[in-house]
Amino acid sequence: MPPYTLTYFAVRGRCGALKIMLADNGQHLKENLVTFDDWMKGDLKAGCVFGQLPKFQDGDLVLFQSNTMLRHLGRKHGAYGKNDSEASLIDMMNDGVEDLRLKYIKLIYQEYETGKEAFIKDLPNHLKPFEAVLAKNKSGFLVGDQISFADYNLFDLLLNLKVLSPTSLDSLPALKSFVDKTAARPKVKALLECDDFKKLPINGNGKQ
Amino acid sequence: MPPYTLTYFAIKGRCGALRILLADNGQQLNENMVTYEEWMKGDIKASCVFGQLPKFQDGDLVLFQSTAMLRHLGRKHGAYGKNDSEASLIDMMNDGVEDLRLKYIKLIYQEYEAGKEAFIKDLPNHLKPFEAILAKNKSGFLVGDQISFADYNLFDLLLNLKVLCPTCPDTFPALKSFVDKTAARPKVKALLESDDFKKLPINGNGKQ
């Protein structure tokens, strides 16, 4: 029985990054997919610390908050830097990814029709910090010389942004290279090409 | 010369928690206070990875993102749990604090007059998870039996919420006790009573 269980809706949403990280590390994930009808009954929600999914179980440890799950798996699978300074820089980069993810989520769920054009126009300004960090750190990762949970998180977000705006990375060579190289990692490639992953909509409202 | 330097506006804002953590650990903090006029010149902003303050320096390590700073100091000062499981639970609680802090920030900066009543009415729903956790974990801390960066972050946020709604946290006995006990820690008490701390407005637009 796999040690890791994820309870979430049948979307990529806030769990794309952790699925990619687990696949890349050859880890199995048992998934409990929750329908909207199940969720509206309320029992499951009442059992969630902050009333929200996803929920992640690692043996007896039960976690909520998707970034907590990324950090937990980062610790367990050597994806949190090789020392405390790298860990802090990875935290900083992940927090930056999360800030942009929040803007993306707000667009998707609250203002897609009215806000899409402005979001796409403003997107290069939000991508520039990551382009600069990747261009400076020749390893091809955000921090140090090995992949971290922040890389998986950025990669997942960039995949979503490319669907929203296919040309968004064209003038950002380090980011484009980052996406290509991460997608070419054999186990990541296998996940991205598998039906289970491909069939999941990115977001819960069908917009992308 | 203190090893820690903070560059930020002259407000409590996103740095209240880290100042409290540092004070409680007897650590000095060198503060560079930035005026709005200085910020508008643009040089400092251009040097910030995500174009935002605060900026934190620990020797050669330069960090942005306030929660990255809290995690960094948590690691350095034994405020990140005593094992990896506790660290993950602390991450989860801090992410929950951060979610509520974002709602508070949105109210203060975007919809104070129109949204204050609804925010206060809804606040108990957002405080309940923390009340439940504190009531269950008899130590008086969110996780385990020692203070963590998530406790300092929650404490700082609760102080701000008490200014907005003086009676709100008090309707929750575990939260009330948590605030009272944390405020009574001698070095925390000294900070809270110091002129330097008291004179800082909570937010940059004067609303609270």
Side-chain angles (χ1 to χ4, degrees):
Chain A
M1 182 157 176
Y4 298 140
T5 304
L6 178 70
T7 303
Y8 194 46
F9 306 106
V11 300
R12 225 168 284 172
R14 283 187 160 281
C15 293
L18 78 89
K19 284 177 177 158
I20 293 165
M21 172 158 50
L22 285 173
D24 200 35
N25 284 277
Q27 298 296 310
H28 279 296
L29 179 65
K30 176 175 193 294
E31 295 195 53
N32 294 329
L33 292 175
V34 178
T35 66
F36 188 68
D37 293 334
D38 283 342
W39 181 249
M40 290 311 284
K41 287 178 197 162
D43 323 356
L44 188 50
K45 184 179 169 77
C48 296
V49 169
F50 299 108
Q52 294 176 317
L53 295 178
K55 170 182 176 179
F56 188 86
Q57 288 157 277
D58 176 1
D60 290 336
L61 184 65
V62 179
L63 295 174
F64 299 91
Q65 296 284 356
S66 60
N67 289 295
T68 290
M69 297 164 195
L70 287 176
R71 287 188 162 89
H72 178 75
L73 295 171
R75 267 177 214 113
K76 286 193 79 165
H77 297 287
Y80 214 146
K82 54 184 186 291
N83 54 45
D84 282 353
S85 287
E86 285 196 355
S88 291
L89 293 169
I90 289 164
D91 281 335
M92 175 172 83
M93 296 316 301
N94 195 74
D95 287 354
V97 174
E98 176 63 23
D99 280 354
L100 183 51
R101 190 181 285 283
L102 284 170
K103 290 179 167 64
Y104 169 79
I105 286 170
K106 184 182 175 189
L107 170 74
I108 292 290
Y109 288 99
Q110 294 181 32
E111 45 190 49
Y112 189 83
E113 287 74 23
T114 54
K116 184 176 173 181
E117 197 182 324
F119 181 92
I120 290 176
K121 193 168 169 211
D122 199 31
L123 190 50
N125 292 328
H126 297 298
L127 293 176
K128 271 179 197 162
F130 303 102
E131 173 73 13
V133 170
L134 284 167
K136 188 171 173 190
N137 190 31
K138 306 285 177 216
S139 67
F141 305 111
L142 285 166
V143 177
D145 51 21
Q146 60 195 39
I147 201 164
S148 74
F149 69 86
D151 291 302
Y152 294 113
N153 201 8
L154 177 63
F155 174 68
D156 172 73
L157 182 60
L158 291 172
L159 291 180
N160 296 352
L161 291 171
K162 275 178 53 152
V163 171
L164 178 75
S165 171
T167 55
S168 53
L169 299 189
D170 286 358
S171 56
L172 300 164
L175 277 171
K176 190 173 187 321
S177 168
F178 171 81
V179 170
D180 291 344
K181 281 186 178 163
T182 310
R185 290 167 79 89
K187 292 176 186 158
V188 175
K189 186 172 190 289
L191 178 76
L192 296 181
E193 289 173 356
C194 83
D195 288 337
D196 278 353
F197 192 81
K198 286 201 293 190
K199 78 186 181 193
L200 289 180
I202 297 174
N203 301 298
N205 63 355
K207 293 177 183 169
Q208 56 180 28
Chain B
M1 181 157 177
Y4 298 140
T5 304
L6 177 70
T7 304
Y8 194 45
F9 306 107
I11 60 172
K12 277 183 193 112
R14 283 188 159 283
C15 293
L18 78 90
R19 287 191 180 108
I20 295 166
L21 187 166
L22 286 172
D24 200 35
N25 284 276
Q27 297 294 313
Q28 292 215 285
L29 180 66
N30 181 28
E31 295 199 47
N32 295 328
M33 292 203 177
V34 176
T35 66
Y36 187 67
E37 284 76 25
E38 283 168 340
W39 180 250
M40 291 311 285
K41 286 179 196 161
D43 320 359
I44 302 176
K45 184 179 167 78
S47 73
C48 297
V49 170
F50 300 107
Q52 295 175 316
L53 294 177
K55 169 182 177 179
F56 188 84
Q57 287 157 277
D58 176 2
D60 290 337
L61 183 65
V62 179
L63 294 175
F64 298 92
Q65 297 283 357
S66 58
T67 53
M69 295 164 196
L70 284 176
R71 288 191 161 89
H72 178 73
L73 295 171
R75 269 180 213 112
K76 286 193 79 165
H77 297 287
Y80 213 146
K82 50 184 188 296
N83 54 46
D84 283 353
S85 288
E86 285 197 356
S88 291
L89 293 169
I90 289 164
D91 280 336
M92 175 169 83
M93 297 318 301
N94 194 72
D95 286 356
V97 174
E98 191 54 28
D99 279 353
L100 182 51
R101 189 182 284 282
L102 284 170
K103 290 179 167 63
Y104 169 78
I105 286 170
K106 185 182 176 190
L107 170 74
I108 291 291
Y109 289 99
Q110 293 181 32
E111 46 190 48
Y112 188 83
E113 287 74 22
K116 184 177 174 181
E117 198 184 321
F119 181 92
I120 289 175
K121 195 169 167 207
D122 198 31
L123 189 51
N125 292 326
H126 298 296
L127 293 176
K128 272 180 196 162
F130 302 104
E131 173 70 12
I133 295 277
L134 285 167
K136 189 173 173 187
N137 191 30
K138 304 284 178 221
S139 68
F141 305 111
L142 286 166
V143 176
D145 51 21
Q146 60 196 39
I147 202 164
S148 75
F149 68 87
D151 291 301
Y152 293 113
N153 200 8
L154 176 62
F155 174 67
D156 172 74
L157 182 58
L158 290 171
L159 291 180
N160 296 351
L161 292 171
K162 273 174 62 131
V163 172
L164 179 75
C165 173
T167 55
C168 291
D170 291 354
T171 60
F172 294 104
L175 280 172
K176 186 180 190 319
S177 170
F178 170 80
V179 171
D180 291 345
K181 281 186 179 164
T182 310
R185 290 167 79 90
K187 292 175 183 159
V188 174
K189 186 173 191 286
L191 178 75
L192 296 181
E193 290 174 354
S194 76
D195 288 338
D196 277 354
F197 193 81
K198 286 202 291 193
K199 78 186 182 193
L200 290 180
I202 297 175
N203 301 299
N205 63 355
K207 293 177 185 170
Q208 59 180 26

